[in-house]
Amino acid sequence: MTSSLTGIAFMLLAAFLWSLIGLFSSICLSQGMTALEIAFWRTSIGCVCFMLHMFAFRQAFVPLKHLGIF
């Protein structure tokens, strides 16, 4: 039961955060940013959050033979 409630809570949180993209984008556009700049910053912030999550949960292992490609 707790597992399914946690999943639902994460789903609702994701939906809420996704809904903020429109507000965030309209504020940035009104301040003079271009759509490409907004896309760059959204992607960069998402990448940093993903990397922090990877390192926090120790899931950042890359085999040595794949390191060059990575």
Side-chain angles (χ1 to χ4, degrees):
M1 184 69 174
T2 306
S3 165
S4 63
L5 289 178
T6 303
I8 291 171
F10 280 135
M11 183 188 67
L12 291 173
L13 177 64
F16 172 72
L17 292 174
W18 190 276
S19 72
L20 293 179
I21 290 175
L23 178 63
F24 174 75
S25 296
S26 64
I27 291 171
C28 290
L29 285 170
S30 71
Q31 295 298 315
M33 290 180 74
T34 65
L36 189 59
E37 287 176 302
I38 295 169
F40 169 79
W41 285 111
R42 280 179 36 201
T43 305
S44 298
I45 292 168
C47 180
V48 168
C49 290
F50 177 70
M51 293 292 188
L52 289 173
H53 181 268
M54 263 189 357
F55 287 113
F57 289 96
R58 292 186 167 92
Q59 297 176 344
F61 176 73
V62 177
L64 290 177
K65 67 180 182 179
H66 297 166
L67 197 58
I69 297 171
F70 183 72

